[in-house]
Amino acid sequence: MDAPRERPDAPTSAGPRALFDASTDAAAVVSGRGVVLGWTRAAEELLGLAASEAVGASAARLLAMPGDPARATGVAERCRAGMGWSGHIPLRHRDGRRIDVDLRVSASFRIGADECFLVSAREQRQQWEVGQSVLDGFLTRSPVGMAVMDTQLRYVWLNDTLERFGGVPREQRLGRRLSELLPGLQADTIEGLMRKVLDTGVAVTDYEYVGWSWADPRRQHAYSTSFFPLVDVDNTITGVCYMVSDVTERWNARQLLSLVNEAGTRIGTTLDVLWTAQELADFAVPRFADFVVVDLLEPVLSTEGHGTWLTDAGPAPARPVMRRAGLSSVRDGAPEAVARIGERVDFVPPPHDAHLLIGGDPILIPVLDPSDEVWVSEQPARAASIREFGLHSLISVPMRARNTVLGLATFIRSLNPVSFQSDDVLVAQELVARAALCVDNARRYTREHTAAVTLQRSLLPQALSGGTALEVASSYRPADPTGGVGGDWFDVIPLSGARVGLVVGDVVGHGITAAATMGRLRTAVQTLADMEMPPDELLAHLDDLVLRLSEERDGDAGDVAQRGTAGFLGATCLYAVYDPVTRHCTMARAGHPPPVVVTPDGQVSFPEPPPGPPLGLGGIAFESTEIELAENSLLGLYTDGLVEAADRDMEHGMSRLGELLSQRDLDLDTLCSSAVRQLVPAPQPDDIALLLARTHALGVEHVVSWEVPVDPAAVAEVRARATRQVEAWGYGELAMTTELIVSELVTNAIRYAEPPIRLRLLRDSRLTCEVADASSTAPRLRHARSTDEGGRGLFLVAQLAHRWGARYTADGKIIWAEQEIP
């Protein structure tokens, strides 16, 4: 048999890091007489002997070779002298095979009256170098602290590493409990775990905790500890052995990773630049720093775009103009701050300038010196704050995203005594990078949202007028920034014969595209309404337009996959025409909610025109319906955002709208704004539009009409009647032009149209002359040659009237001409 090879206690060549982790070594406690007193789980796994088989037996039987009494005596004397011993030795497994191990015997200690030794063994590996021991330096250089506690949890033995961890000398520990020596190290919890091991005999492994120690009182350390019972021959637990490793670096890395991951959910929750900057400051205090400021360049905070130098790495102002956007401190009110939220700042840690923002690396100042001449001369107010509040360590990180300079974030510690280290710079960079991306997203979105709102408001009517037929009021509220600008629109369009067109619509989607599409549809509705189209025909033409717009988007979408998502461009619309002479309202809708009608006595109803499909589907006809409105009735047109919400269905919203509009003691503008405010008191993800119209009737004193015989001789009589009526209304200055217009229109109707022919004069905001006939032939403005005897009738009408046109009815057509009333 090989003799045990003794190894001197001297450092050897370093092996792999894992080999110096002694937390898994087999350990046993052996008395001075060579009897095993304690046996760990690792020892059981190494030699296959249970504690009941090993404890109480002689340790000599574990050797795979005869022992040398003289050498054993020498080892014992060496350990009694406090030096310990280590070497290679073969042991016998329960199944008889030999196991070569590295053995370490500690200096002797006592449990009660018995002299004891802690023996630790690890199986040798073939790849180890000859003469190298993974347990070398067990007492002085091992990274694992070890101790043996008696049943009263008093220290019986500990190695040098554990002494170094706690900062309390061995002499002061022996015979005393952990809670008496290191109360700041979660001593009560640790002793509770050791009592559990004493009571149950079950080991507790890898318990991690954080605490302070006398060895390094300015910095918290993290430890991983395992506790094992010591069992004697009677299976009685005689003490506890525990091993502890300093895992501060691993714990810090895990904490920093957790910090960065949490930042991803806590920073950038809104699309607001200032809010995002404040979120960064609030998140970092006190997790990472005691005082944080976020300063953003003024152009970043502007909705009008950014300056030309933000993406330029060339010359820049020595002191860029920034504003404080985020501020947080562990002290109430942040008294250490030199500038407040919204104030201008020019802070860049001296001696740096604006080039730090453009291309500089983060700045780490582990120790701030308030007496530094550069700080005193360039930043005197901040130097005074450093001195007054004990600011001692700083990190400044430029905020950049997508090649755009945004500002500067500064982290400072004061109450936290630990200075920033290089690892902290990486964390600060990661936090600022996440915040910078969110700030840039918010900045870009704010600019686009502002542009979309501006575009949408410019496309909506700036002033509404219903003439003498309607009193109108409107309210429009854009979506909140998270929802984006939508495509809601409304309009009031004056038509011939004192009639008025009312329209409200909603384009699917949000953003500038929806707003631009809304503008195109509104322009199309105005054009089609000017062509005197009835509501159902107008929606049919509008449907064709939306189909063409969808095809344009198909063509721009690129590949087939993109077309599938970009192809459909939908919209809803409701178009109504009110005639104050007949008090009839004709309407049609395309996938839009029905209008609301409130009678003069407060009765609410929702007349439902046939529900046509949304615009853009094509192939389905639209239908009109006609209702009669009493004078002073209230007609309301709205978009679905007004009556739909997360906490109510559409029918409930419509019912609530009717209740609010039935109030009769409010003027129309107040009623409109009040209804919107009460229905939607908070920001919403969809646009809101409400158009109200109070109807008026055009009485018999404002309208006259005559049947016209199909006889050229009747023209003179009709012309004379019209002239007398105009003079009776007090418009003598319009008598001559009215006479000419009536003469030409009636003559053309008698000559080219079909009976019955009727002349009507209307007086409201303008004087209107209408000639109706049963023909559907469109009038045509001709340019007669100098030798022609006719062909100048409509040309004269066009010259004399403010405007003229024709509209078709179920019985034929009406040619009309309007004159401005002086």
Side-chain angles (χ1 to χ4, degrees):
M1 288 301 218
D2 295 335
R5 294 191 300 276
E6 190 171 335
R7 186 174 63 252
D9 291 334
T12 60
S13 59
R17 179 181 179 88
L19 299 180
F20 288 90
D21 180 8
S23 61
T24 59
D25 289 349
V29 178
V30 180
S31 71
R33 300 188 305 274
V35 177
V36 177
L37 300 180
W39 195 254
T40 65
R41 306 283 185 195
E44 179 178 342
E45 293 177 0
L46 177 66
L47 298 181
L49 291 174
S52 59
E53 299 175 282
V55 174
S58 172
R61 74 186 185 94
L62 303 177
L63 300 176
M65 67 176 192
D68 183 349
R71 181 174 295 276
T73 301
V75 169
E77 293 301 324
R78 181 184 179 89
C79 293
R80 289 190 180 98
M83 300 178 62
W85 179 90
S86 64
H88 301 302
I89 193 170
L91 298 179
R92 180 185 294 109
H93 192 272
R94 182 178 183 177
D95 59 11
R97 60 188 171 89
R98 167 175 167 158
I99 300 177
D100 292 325
V101 300
D102 259 346
L103 193 72
R104 170 68 62 175
V105 182
S106 73
S108 66
F109 58 93
R110 290 187 176 275
I111 298 180
D114 294 330
E115 181 185 40
C116 301
F117 303 90
L118 178 65
V119 180
S120 177
R122 173 178 290 191
E123 185 177 2
Q124 295 181 19
R125 303 297 180 186
Q126 292 181 356
Q127 64 269 30
W128 294 354
E129 296 179 9
V130 176
Q132 180 186 31
S133 171
V134 297
L135 297 176
D136 184 42
F138 181 81
L139 295 177
T140 58
R141 293 181 296 277
S142 171
V144 179
M146 299 183 67
V148 175
M149 318 291 282
D150 63 16
T151 55
Q152 303 300 315
L153 302 184
R154 293 173 300 201
Y155 279 100
V156 175
W157 175 88
L158 69 155
N159 69 351
D160 293 356
T161 302
L162 187 64
E163 181 182 19
R164 186 168 60 252
F165 283 169
V168 178
R170 178 184 285 103
E171 295 77 12
Q172 297 181 22
R173 289 201 188 205
L174 295 177
R176 304 181 67 181
R177 293 169 51 178
L178 180 66
S179 57
E180 298 173 348
L181 301 168
L182 301 170
L185 204 64
Q186 296 189 14
D188 292 339
T189 302
I190 295 174
E191 288 187 347
L193 293 174
M194 288 193 287
R195 287 193 186 94
K196 180 179 178 182
V197 172
L198 289 174
D199 294 340
T200 65
V202 178
V204 175
T205 59
D206 295 328
Y207 170 74
E208 290 192 4
Y209 60 94
V210 179
W212 305 89
S213 74
W214 293 109
D216 188 5
R218 295 178 59 84
R219 181 186 178 197
Q220 274 192 326
H221 285 255
Y223 300 99
S224 176
T225 307
S226 297
F227 306 92
F228 306 94
L230 295 176
V231 184
D232 64 10
V233 66
D234 299 325
N235 207 30
T236 301
I237 298 176
T238 59
V240 177
C241 175
Y242 81 79
M243 301 180 181
V244 56
S245 300
D246 190 326
V247 293
T248 303
E249 291 186 6
R250 184 180 72 191
W251 186 85
N252 285 339
R254 190 165 60 229
Q255 292 298 110
L256 294 178
L257 179 61
S258 175
L259 179 73
V260 171
N261 289 338
E262 186 182 357
T265 63
R266 300 286 297 275
I267 300 175
T269 60
T270 68
L271 287 170
D272 183 275
V273 172
L274 289 174
W275 190 272
T276 302
Q278 186 61 43
E279 284 180 333
L280 170 60
D282 290 339
F283 178 80
V285 174
R287 293 177 178 86
F288 183 69
D290 298 323
F291 176 56
V292 176
V293 293
V294 181
D295 301 327
L296 299 180
L297 292 164
E298 280 195 332
V300 175
L301 300 172
S302 172
T303 59
E304 299 177 357
H306 55 71
T308 57
W309 77 282
L310 287 175
T311 56
D312 180 13
R319 290 295 181 185
V321 179
M322 297 186 289
R323 287 192 181 273
R324 183 132 297 169
L327 169 65
S328 186
S329 171
V330 293
R331 298 178 174 88
D332 291 339
E336 60 268 66
V338 175
R340 297 291 162 179
I341 298 293
E343 294 181 358
R344 282 194 172 191
V345 292
D346 62 353
F347 173 68
V348 176
H352 303 274
D353 56 18
H355 289 87
L356 169 69
L357 303 181
I358 297 174
D361 295 326
I363 297 173
L364 168 63
I365 304 179
V367 179
L368 282 172
D369 182 5
S371 61
D372 188 294
E373 294 183 359
V374 179
W375 279 84
V376 172
S377 60
E378 295 188 15
Q379 300 287 342
R382 291 178 172 84
S385 179
I386 292 172
R387 183 180 300 104
E388 179 180 358
F389 296 100
L391 312 181
H392 65 83
S393 191
L394 173 147
I395 295 176
S396 284
V397 182
M399 296 186 71
R400 294 188 288 263
R402 302 184 180 97
N403 296 320
T404 300
V405 179
L406 303 173
L408 184 72
T410 301
F411 307 85
I412 299 177
R413 284 181 178 172
S414 57
L415 300 183
N416 185 342
V418 181
S419 297
F420 285 121
Q421 305 297 325
S422 56
D423 290 345
D424 296 319
V425 176
L426 300 178
V427 177
Q429 277 185 291
E430 185 64 26
L431 294 179
V432 172
R434 289 174 181 261
L437 187 62
C438 295
V439 166
D440 193 51
N441 288 340
R443 176 183 69 88
R444 291 168 181 263
Y445 181 83
T446 300
R447 288 172 54 200
E448 180 177 344
H449 184 263
T450 302
V453 170
T454 302
L455 173 63
Q456 188 174 37
R457 290 192 180 277
S458 68
L459 294 174
L460 291 173
Q462 305 304 307
L464 298 176
S465 175
T468 58
L470 296 173
E471 177 190 354
V472 294
S474 65
S475 179
Y476 167 74
R477 183 182 295 179
D480 63 47
T482 58
V485 172
D488 290 12
W489 94 93
F490 56 89
D491 210 346
V492 178
I493 307 170
L495 302 175
S496 63
R499 299 170 308 130
V500 178
L502 301 171
V503 63
V504 65
D506 185 0
V507 175
V508 174
H510 294 87
I512 291 181
T513 301
T517 302
M518 174 271 289
R520 299 176 74 172
L521 295 184
R522 177 173 175 252
T523 301
V525 170
Q526 290 178 331
T527 302
L528 296 172
D530 283 341
M531 295 172 65
E532 303 288 354
M533 287 188 176
D536 54 343
E537 292 186 23
L538 183 144
L539 291 182
H541 284 279
L542 203 61
D543 186 45
D544 292 338
L545 173 62
V546 174
L547 282 172
R548 288 197 297 274
L549 294 178
S550 296
E551 292 174 358
E552 290 178 8
R553 293 185 65 177
D554 271 343
D556 295 338
D559 59 29
V560 176
Q562 289 177 313
R563 291 193 196 105
T565 58
F568 175 70
L569 174 66
T572 65
C573 183
L574 174 73
Y575 180 63
V577 176
Y578 174 69
D579 188 341
V581 177
T582 62
R583 292 185 289 104
H584 287 176
C585 182
T586 306
M587 62 186 73
R589 59 178 176 145
H592 204 82
V596 57
V597 174
V598 182
T599 62
D601 60 357
Q603 297 296 315
V604 178
S605 63
F606 290 87
E608 294 201 16
L615 301 174
L617 294 180
I620 304 177
F622 298 94
E623 298 181 40
S624 295
T625 190
E626 186 175 270
I627 62 173
E628 184 175 344
L629 298 175
E631 188 170 8
N632 290 323
S633 294
L634 185 65
L635 177 65
L637 282 67
Y638 53 91
T639 54
D640 56 4
L642 182 65
V643 295
E644 288 182 340
D647 58 344
R648 63 170 183 261
D649 57 25
M650 189 168 183
E651 290 186 3
H652 176 75
M654 292 168 61
S655 175
R656 179 66 177 147
L657 174 63
E659 293 176 6
L660 294 173
L661 296 183
S662 62
Q663 305 176 67
R664 307 300 295 176
D665 55 343
L666 300 176
D667 65 84
L668 201 60
D669 286 324
T670 303
L671 182 65
C672 186
S673 58
S674 174
V676 170
R677 185 173 57 255
Q678 294 186 61
L679 280 170
V680 189
Q684 72 294 324
D686 197 6
D687 286 11
I688 287 175
L690 175 62
L691 177 63
L692 297 182
R694 181 160 284 138
T695 63
H696 300 298
L698 207 59
V700 294
E701 69 276 11
H702 293 271
V703 183
V704 295
S705 63
W706 301 278
E707 294 290 339
V708 178
V710 186
D711 183 358
V715 175
E717 176 61 25
V718 173
R719 184 170 56 209
R721 287 183 179 181
T723 302
R724 287 194 298 270
Q725 183 61 54
V726 171
E727 290 175 344
W729 281 338
Y731 305 140
E733 61 269 39
L734 298 180
M736 181 177 295
T737 54
T738 302
E739 182 180 12
L740 291 172
I741 290 173
V742 169
S743 178
E744 293 299 333
L745 293 182
V746 171
T747 299
N748 279 348
I750 293 173
R751 181 176 299 176
Y752 300 112
E754 298 177 3
I757 300 173
R758 189 174 188 84
L759 171 66
R760 185 171 76 163
L761 296 180
L762 295 88
R763 172 173 64 96
D764 63 330
S765 59
R766 292 190 177 97
L767 178 62
T768 304
C769 173
E770 295 181 346
V771 175
D773 59 61
S775 171
S776 59
T777 303
R780 183 165 61 91
L781 182 65
R782 297 171 57 191
H783 296 277
R785 291 174 294 181
S786 59
T787 56
D788 291 343
E789 294 183 0
R792 297 178 177 85
L794 288 180
F795 179 78
L796 289 174
V797 172
Q799 296 300 312
L800 296 173
H802 171 69
R803 63 175 190 153
W804 75 281
R807 67 177 184 269
Y808 294 92
T809 66
D811 301 323
K813 70 175 183 297
I814 296 174
I815 302 178
W816 54 269
E818 293 179 351
Q819 299 179 75
E820 292 282 2
I821 295 177

